[in-house]
Amino acid sequence: MSDMIISPATDRRRWLEQVLATLGLGFSLPTLETRAAARRGSQRPTSLITLFLAGGPSQLETWDPHPGSAIGGPTKAVATRLKGLKIAADFPQTAEVINELCVIRSLVSREGDHHRGVYLAKTGYRPDQTLTHPSLGAILTKERWNAGIAIPQHVSLGSDQRPARGGFLGAQYDAYKIYNPGGRLRNIASRADKTRQQRRLAGLNVVSRTFRRGRTVAARATQHRLMIDRALAMMNADQLKAFQLDLDDESRSTIDLYGDSRFGRGCLVARRLVQAGVRAIEVTLPGWDTHANNFEGHREQAGILDPALFALITDLKQHDLLDSTIVLVLGEFGRTPTVNPLDGRDHWPHGFSCLVGGGGLAAGRVLGATDPTGRKRKPTRPVEIADLLATILSRMGVEYGKETITPIGRPMAYCEGTPIPGLL
Amino acid sequence: MPVRDTGETIDHMTVLRRLVPLLLVVAALLATIRGISSRNTVNLSTPATVPKRFAVDLTTSKIDQWFAERWSSEHITPATTAPPLAILRRLSLALHGTVPSLEEIREFDTDGRPQKLERWTQRLLTDNRCPTYLSERLGRALVGADEGPFLAFRRDRFHAWLAAQIAADRPWDRVVTDMVSGRGLPTGNPETNFITIAQIDEEIDAEQLAGRSVRAFLGQRIDCAQCHDHFFDPRWKQAHFQGLAAFFSPVRFTPLGIDDDIDRPFQVTDHADDTPRVVPPSVPFGSEWLPGKGTTRQRFAAWLTDERNERFDRAIVNRLWGLMFGRPFRAPVDDLPDPGDPATVPLDLVAHDFRDHRRSLKWLVHVIAASRPFRLDSRPNPQARQSSPGEMTSEELRRQEEAWAIFPLIRLRPEQIIGAMLQAGSIKTIDRHSHLFTRARRFFGEQNFVEEYGDLGDDELSEQTGTIPQALLRMNGELARELIQPGLFSATTTIARATVEDNALCLRTCFEVCLGRQPAAEESEVLGEWLTGTRGEQREQAVEDIFWTLFNSPEFSWNH
């Protein structure tokens, strides 16, 4: 966890942690009261849920269909709660809640390769060989640290090959990875019974003391013991329950609403984590890279995304959490207007779509448009990904242009974009 | 689909699936037979002397002299010399990515011949684990840690090729020349993976290759100059970067692999007037070293590796220093001042002699391993403590570390931690002579562990603190449990059973296997108590708890 968060409250807590750590009792420290997390509505500190659609979803088969045009393919459109807005017909449930969000139909990226595209989508920067930029979630976690919880504040749910990283902010801001949301966490339970665990920890104190002898300063700088104490605090944290779906504290109907998929369970866990006070969560749905059988592939994907997204928005509203939770639905790029001989669409970073809203952002707006003939590459009112990230940072009260001196001595702004006025 | 007599329809995949177990059994049998025969014929022992070509006395005396003068002028009392076993551990971690095995420790202890550490350095360098491990570490600087373009980039081939170059001790300039100017397919000519990693959307990114080459081979960062003149370093202008990128502009990925297309000049578009402009290949300094003949890449390679290009040799000296210590002599590893800078004199001294020793990486390892800083203790010299009795302040420690008057505490890389755990969980040395199953366990165990622990990527020589998930993985992870839980072949059971009558020996063995040292008095008292009066399962559990304690100690996961 962060060692850079300096506030009187965290200082006191750290002091107490260190005293207890010295006595070998650091793990006994109970987690702080989570009053902030218990607040409701817009009074609550804002969290971010990113539904990451890995592989590059087609804008034409999701939020920007052009039925009947040369580029539209067989995809049909359906009317939504938002007057005049139509989305792909495979998203009937999303159509019922899309008025809570905004649709951007003119996103542009400069990367058409998966690895590089994901990097840009998550950090706002193009890959740079000399340093790794922090992802949006890592910046939020650092700048909006919740001192009240003992579980990770930046979490990646589902099978993501490229989970969000802390980059030059440090590995402590990397997303905590959970491949199978809803189940028991890996490595969280001690492998020994209580008596033996206590013996092991007492032994650890002795061996650590030998190591410190004559080099207290250097040994303390390793923060080795601090990490162990925090890991022990996490093992005993009440908030761990937020990760589990087998505790009978969610109704069957709620679980069913999200759909029987890893992604659906991830979305439900994301809502629970927001309740627990976690700052940034990404839930990944892979499988959008439809170079062949684009339309069939997207129909299958919609079958997973549609119920989960609908359930998430509905559930957040029911729990009075939507005003304090930004929901972002994004992939690394879109797909070509033209259909290839394998009935697929290829990578297209020149004009694609995303959904964003909640957390006090505007709702029910549609920004930008792509050319229905597919001839014009550039969309109207193009939006850079960095602008989207700057909007979210700004809404969450983070100075998006803040410069940090990176470990290589080069100053670097969190984000080089500018907030999008239409979303704030 | 073929149809069998029974009428059952099977496809080729089914046949393959059914054959796999059989093939595995055959492979295991062959490996066992090979293992037995190789055990009889291969005897990797410590050489009686170090080959003359690796003589390093003249070079080490020069740099040791420089350090001694620096310490004296700055009134720094350096640490005392570290115990030999601690130095062996450092060498083993740097060259094999693992701690020494109990076998090796015992042999090292009983080796009373002169030049012990030099001979053991030579032994570790000769061991097959060394080129494999070093190629992985050096590879980070050469091709990064990203997955790279599908099919065009073959990391496995590249590492195998690089390992072969290291094993053969091929001169570093030749290795670099091959990478920079190589042609052919990434499978048949693996050196070309240095080029293909830069493929983006079917094109080879010349700017990426220019930036990487200058960082990896010259120890300079000029990437900023890709977009503008370097803000902080007036040495580098945008025109320099563009001139360097132009050397890679003709590279093409053809059906026959990497090749040069001479008709493709490097074009840039100026923001001011939006018009494209052709930039010819050019170098920022030493243009007289640039040959007139050859492909642009061959010419660039000749310029890079020219004997007058001091930056080339300084860069690899600094990087190898970083791999040996865990911290480069000058950080960041690829942002060095100009040759001759007073702060980096040791780099100049070693670089000069490196050139005269046919740019041998093995020679370079010998030099660094024999240098005074490498052999210093990681605890401050008791006589150096100035401000308060018994303790050095952070400021004093920082001064000591900056002057290399103490061996720095460096967090081990994930591969080193899992390598050390796997080795400690086995009494015998895990190397190419180990059984296929042992090696497979190491291979897969390491892959999974590193993935979960968090790969450091290209930033491997930047220092970072640990994380909570890492602590959880060490404490409660599946592999850690498997390695220490009692079982027929586990080290814990073997040690528990072999030392039933001798608790002190039992504890000492655990400490030697995990930490490479003997227990201190307090440790003997507290941890030794766990063994008192135990037998059978209870004793095995006590040893398991000792192993857990040692695996989770700072001493285990930090180089010291």
Side-chain angles (χ1 to χ4, degrees):
Chain A
M1 288 188 204
S2 170
D3 290 299
M4 299 166 210
I5 313 302
I6 304 298
S7 75
T10 45
D11 268 0
R12 278 196 301 278
R13 181 172 171 81
R14 189 177 307 157
W15 175 83
L16 185 60
E17 275 183 348
Q18 284 180 349
V19 169
L20 289 170
T22 315
L23 300 169
L25 296 169
F27 59 93
S28 66
L29 188 66
T31 56
L32 286 180
E33 192 191 347
T34 54
R35 267 179 305 194
R39 279 191 229 130
R40 289 286 174 265
S42 56
Q43 296 300 305
R44 210 172 171 282
T46 310
S47 292
L48 168 72
I49 297 178
T50 305
L51 306 187
F52 198 79
L53 311 182
S58 165
Q59 64 282 4
L60 292 153
E61 275 65 59
T62 52
W63 324 126
D64 189 16
H66 288 301
S69 73
I71 61 170
T75 302
K76 293 189 170 51
V78 64
T80 66
R81 279 277 172 136
L82 196 61
K83 201 177 167 194
L85 174 70
K86 287 187 175 183
I87 60 172
D90 290 328
F91 292 91
Q93 289 184 277
T94 305
E96 292 298 312
V97 292
I98 203 162
N99 53 316
E100 303 289 349
L101 307 170
C102 292
V103 185
I104 303 177
R105 284 175 160 173
S106 53
L107 266 186
V108 288
S109 168
R110 278 167 289 172
E111 300 293 352
D113 162 85
H114 291 294
H115 168 73
R116 299 176 63 86
V118 171
Y119 188 96
L120 176 56
K122 292 191 176 181
T123 66
Y125 281 94
R126 302 181 81 175
D128 179 332
Q129 290 175 41
T130 58
L131 83 175
T132 308
H133 299 90
S135 65
L136 176 64
I139 298 170
L140 291 173
T141 309
K142 179 176 188 298
E143 292 291 331
R144 287 287 169 265
W145 185 255
N146 182 354
I149 59 173
I151 56 173
Q153 309 212 13
H154 184 199
V155 177
S156 169
L157 301 162
S159 59
D160 191 340
Q161 284 183 301
R162 306 171 182 95
R165 306 240 343 235
F168 61 70
L169 295 183
Q172 67 268 43
Y173 297 107
D174 282 354
Y176 181 75
K177 292 170 280 190
I178 293 167
Y179 298 102
N180 199 11
R184 304 241 156 186
L185 296 192
R186 286 167 66 82
N187 310 329
I188 204 70
S190 165
R191 303 271 180 180
D193 62 39
K194 208 171 169 185
T195 316
R196 285 179 66 196
Q197 176 76 352
Q198 277 177 351
R199 172 164 93 170
R200 289 172 169 194
L201 292 170
L204 189 54
N205 281 340
V206 175
V207 182
S208 303
R209 204 151 46 229
T210 308
F211 186 65
R212 277 202 304 274
R213 197 161 295 137
R215 55 172 163 224
T216 318
V217 176
R220 197 188 306 131
T222 67
Q223 299 192 353
H224 184 87
R225 185 64 208 214
L226 190 65
M227 289 305 136
I228 287 187
D229 283 328
R230 288 180 173 171
L232 290 165
M234 180 173 157
M235 286 161 66
N236 295 309
D238 199 38
Q239 297 126 359
L240 280 180
K241 288 178 189 159
F243 287 104
Q244 277 179 259
L245 293 182
D246 54 358
L247 299 172
D248 292 333
D249 58 352
E250 295 287 350
S251 70
R252 192 67 242 171
S253 61
T254 303
I255 296 175
D256 290 345
L257 195 64
Y258 280 86
D260 182 22
S261 67
R262 180 185 290 192
F263 179 72
R265 285 186 289 278
C267 288
L268 175 52
V269 170
R271 192 268 289 157
R272 291 167 63 90
L273 291 174
V274 166
Q275 275 180 301
V278 172
R279 188 61 65 231
I281 305 125
E282 61 176 12
V283 193
T284 301
L285 177 59
W288 297 90
D289 196 18
T290 49
H291 291 283
N293 297 330
N294 173 70
F295 304 101
E296 201 183 313
H298 271 70
R299 201 165 304 124
E300 279 174 26
Q301 294 291 98
I304 302 169
L305 174 60
D306 190 41
L309 177 55
F310 170 77
L312 179 65
I313 301 293
T314 313
D315 207 12
L316 284 171
K317 269 190 87 172
Q318 277 175 3
H319 285 83
D320 197 11
L321 291 169
L322 190 56
D323 286 342
S324 61
T325 308
I326 293 179
V327 177
L328 171 66
V329 186
L330 177 74
E332 64 263 44
F333 38 63
R335 306 204 78 82
T336 47
T338 49
V339 178
N340 69 27
L342 296 172
D343 212 23
R345 294 189 194 267
D346 302 316
H347 303 175
W348 183 256
H350 309 294
F352 58 107
S353 309
C354 77
L355 304 181
V356 64
L361 287 173
R365 294 186 188 169
V366 182
L367 276 67
T370 51
D371 175 23
T373 66
R375 281 195 289 272
K376 269 197 289 184
R377 173 183 272 219
K378 200 173 171 183
T380 55
R381 264 185 90 183
V383 173
E384 295 274 350
I385 287 179
D387 294 339
L388 177 64
L389 304 195
T391 310
I392 293 170
L393 286 169
S394 172
R395 179 66 203 103
M396 289 180 72
V398 177
E399 190 191 334
Y400 56 89
K402 180 175 165 181
E403 280 199 344
T404 303
I405 299 294
T406 61
I408 61 169
R410 186 169 146 198
M412 181 67 64
Y414 277 156
C415 183
E416 287 183 340
T418 316
I420 307 160
L423 290 183
L424 288 171
Chain B
M1 280 187 232
V3 178
R4 290 200 303 188
D5 290 340
T6 55
E8 189 189 342
T9 307
I10 54 165
D11 60 19
H12 293 102
M13 283 310 292
T14 313
V15 174
L16 199 62
R17 267 200 297 274
R18 288 178 186 177
L19 274 175
V20 165
L22 184 67
L23 289 172
L24 275 176
V25 170
V26 172
L29 276 172
L30 287 172
T32 307
I33 293 164
R34 195 174 146 259
I36 293 166
S37 61
S38 63
R39 247 180 276 256
N40 291 338
T41 53
V42 179
N43 179 18
L44 189 69
S45 59
T46 318
T49 55
V50 178
K52 269 192 185 147
R53 65 179 185 281
F54 297 132
V56 296
D57 293 356
L58 284 174
T59 310
T60 47
S61 66
K62 276 189 278 186
I63 55 171
D64 286 352
Q65 173 73 23
W66 184 85
F67 282 113
E69 283 170 12
R70 176 170 178 182
W71 297 334
S72 165
S73 72
E74 294 181 18
H75 308 290
I76 288 174
T77 313
T80 52
T81 303
L85 203 50
I87 299 172
L88 179 69
R89 181 179 187 266
R90 290 172 195 172
L91 282 169
S92 186
L93 282 165
L95 301 176
H96 293 174
T98 177
V99 292
S101 67
L102 188 61
E103 262 184 330
E104 289 168 322
I105 290 172
R106 293 270 187 267
E107 204 182 325
F108 183 79
D109 272 345
T110 53
D111 183 346
R113 290 174 295 171
Q115 278 202 304
K116 180 157 145 177
L117 280 166
E118 288 77 6
R119 284 184 297 99
W120 274 76
T121 306
Q122 179 61 16
R123 167 173 163 158
L124 296 184
L125 278 168
T126 316
D127 190 311
N128 208 34
R129 288 173 288 173
C130 176
T132 306
Y133 181 69
L134 277 187
S135 72
E136 294 271 345
R137 308 251 356 228
L138 268 180
R140 294 300 171 105
L142 305 171
V143 292
D146 296 339
E147 60 207 89
F150 182 58
L151 292 180
F153 178 66
R154 288 293 300 271
R155 183 177 298 280
D156 55 339
R157 297 291 176 107
F158 180 76
H159 280 158
W161 172 80
L162 186 58
Q165 311 305 304
I166 295 170
D169 201 21
R170 202 146 165 260
W172 179 237
D173 52 326
R174 304 267 184 83
V175 178
V176 172
T177 301
D178 283 357
M179 285 187 280
V180 171
S181 60
R183 296 161 70 179
L185 286 166
T187 42
N189 301 80
E191 67 274 20
T192 56
N193 284 289
F194 175 76
I195 303 288
T196 60
I197 184 72
Q199 185 186 328
I200 302 171
D201 296 340
E202 315 299 321
E203 290 285 333
I204 301 291
D205 184 352
E207 294 184 335
Q208 196 187 121
L209 286 171
R212 194 187 287 284
S213 298
V214 174
R215 265 181 289 115
F217 305 134
L218 299 181
Q220 313 286 174
R221 289 185 179 202
I222 65 163
D223 304 67
C224 285
Q226 184 174 346
C227 309
H228 48 72
D229 290 352
H230 204 303
F231 291 147
F232 311 105
D233 193 337
R235 291 176 297 176
W236 308 117
K237 307 286 182 206
Q238 191 179 20
H240 291 148
F241 187 87
Q242 292 170 343
L244 290 169
F247 284 103
F248 290 101
S249 181
V251 188
R252 276 276 189 281
F253 195 12
T254 71
L256 294 174
I258 288 297
D259 206 349
D260 298 282
D261 172 356
I262 50 167
D263 289 332
R264 194 163 75 145
F266 186 64
Q267 281 200 339
V268 295
T269 305
D270 286 329
H271 291 302
D273 53 4
D274 228 20
T275 48
R277 172 170 62 84
V278 170
V279 176
S282 66
V283 289
F285 53 86
S287 51
E288 64 276 22
W289 314 330
L290 197 61
K293 285 186 181 164
T295 65
T296 53
R297 288 190 294 140
Q298 284 167 343
R299 292 170 62 216
F300 178 59
W303 174 80
L304 270 180
T305 59
D306 189 282
E307 294 214 336
R308 289 162 291 182
N309 196 351
E310 293 164 282
R311 289 171 209 267
F312 178 75
D313 301 297
R314 280 161 56 88
I316 187 66
V317 173
N318 194 39
R319 187 167 292 279
L320 214 55
W321 186 285
L323 297 188
M324 297 282 287
F325 281 87
R327 176 183 290 174
F329 179 80
R330 170 79 176 215
V333 66
D334 46 15
D335 201 9
L336 291 173
D338 285 335
D341 189 288
T344 55
V345 171
L347 295 185
D348 287 327
L349 292 173
V350 181
H352 179 271
D353 291 5
F354 174 63
R355 227 163 16 240
D356 292 345
H357 286 80
R358 45 180 292 281
R359 286 163 158 164
S360 152
L361 294 182
K362 289 189 177 178
W363 175 86
L364 192 48
V365 168
H366 271 290
V367 169
I368 298 169
S371 72
R372 181 94 192 278
F374 192 80
R375 296 192 175 179
L376 291 179
D377 204 345
S378 60
R379 280 195 169 83
N381 189 325
Q383 291 169 358
R385 292 169 195 159
Q386 295 157 357
S387 6
S388 57
E391 199 45 77
M392 189 173 259
T393 64
S394 315
E395 180 52 26
E396 284 160 359
L397 179 69
R398 189 189 58 76
R399 281 187 63 227
Q400 288 252 327
E401 288 194 347
E402 261 182 25
W404 296 94
I406 189 169
F407 192 90
L409 288 189
I410 300 289
R411 196 161 71 98
L412 295 185
R413 297 178 46 76
E415 296 90 342
Q416 290 173 317
I417 291 190
I418 186 59
M421 279 185 176
L422 285 159
Q423 184 54 72
S426 161
I427 301 288
K428 295 184 81 65
T429 311
I430 300 177
D431 59 12
R432 70 191 157 122
H433 306 303
S434 302
H435 192 278
L436 179 71
F437 291 129
T438 312
R439 283 183 290 151
R441 185 184 185 194
R442 173 171 180 158
F443 178 75
F444 292 112
E446 182 177 308
Q447 277 200 326
N448 294 337
F449 185 91
V450 170
E451 196 188 324
E452 217 173 332
Y453 204 74
D455 197 312
L456 296 174
D458 294 19
D459 310 332
E460 66 156 10
L461 286 176
S462 67
E463 290 168 38
Q464 300 205 344
T465 53
T467 65
I468 296 167
Q470 289 170 351
L472 288 170
L473 181 61
R474 284 195 309 265
M475 289 197 293
N476 307 326
E478 179 64 25
L479 187 71
R481 184 189 64 88
E482 267 180 29
L483 285 171
I484 63 173
Q485 75 179 356
L488 200 54
F489 302 107
S490 79
T492 42
T493 298
T494 310
I495 294 171
R497 290 185 184 171
T499 58
V500 174
E501 304 301 327
D502 191 342
N503 289 346
L505 177 64
C506 179
L507 190 66
R508 199 181 86 204
T509 311
C510 293
F511 267 75
E512 282 177 337
V513 166
C514 296
L515 302 182
R517 68 168 172 89
Q518 300 203 4
E522 189 193 11
E523 291 165 336
S524 294
E525 192 185 319
V526 176
L527 276 70
E529 177 61 28
W530 303 355
L531 295 165
T532 308
T534 57
R535 289 208 164 265
E537 196 183 326
Q538 220 185 356
R539 186 175 183 79
E540 288 174 16
Q541 283 186 353
V543 174
E544 184 186 358
D545 288 351
I546 293 170
F547 261 70
W548 185 95
T549 302
L550 301 180
F551 271 13
N552 284 285
S553 68
E555 196 168 345
F556 190 84
S557 33
W558 290 74
N559 199 1
H560 48 79

